[in-house]
Amino acid sequence: MMKLYNIFYIDDVYGGEPSHEGTTDNFEEWLKLHNKERVADGEDEESKGNFDVEEIHPILFNEGL
């Protein structure tokens, strides 16, 4: 069974609400891609600590189609 995770950015600087960044089955790979895109845009990489990752349990009705 596939595990899925919601990824939320934690804003430690301004103390805002966590913002949903995406959903993935592999946070480590998602973070690599996320940082690759950030570096390409001239921004610094982010670390695991910048995110809250929560496993989700979706109800899938069209699985296997």
Side-chain angles (χ1 to χ4, degrees), residues 9 13 21 30-48 50-51:
Y9 177 75
V13 176
E21 294 290 315
W30 178 89
L31 185 58
K32 287 179 190 176
L33 178 62
H34 174 75
N35 280 330
K36 183 178 178 181
E37 292 171 355
R38 285 183 60 83
V39 169
D41 291 340
E43 300 180 52
D44 293 333
E45 290 186 355
E46 293 178 314
S47 69
K48 291 180 187 180
N50 293 112
F51 301 94

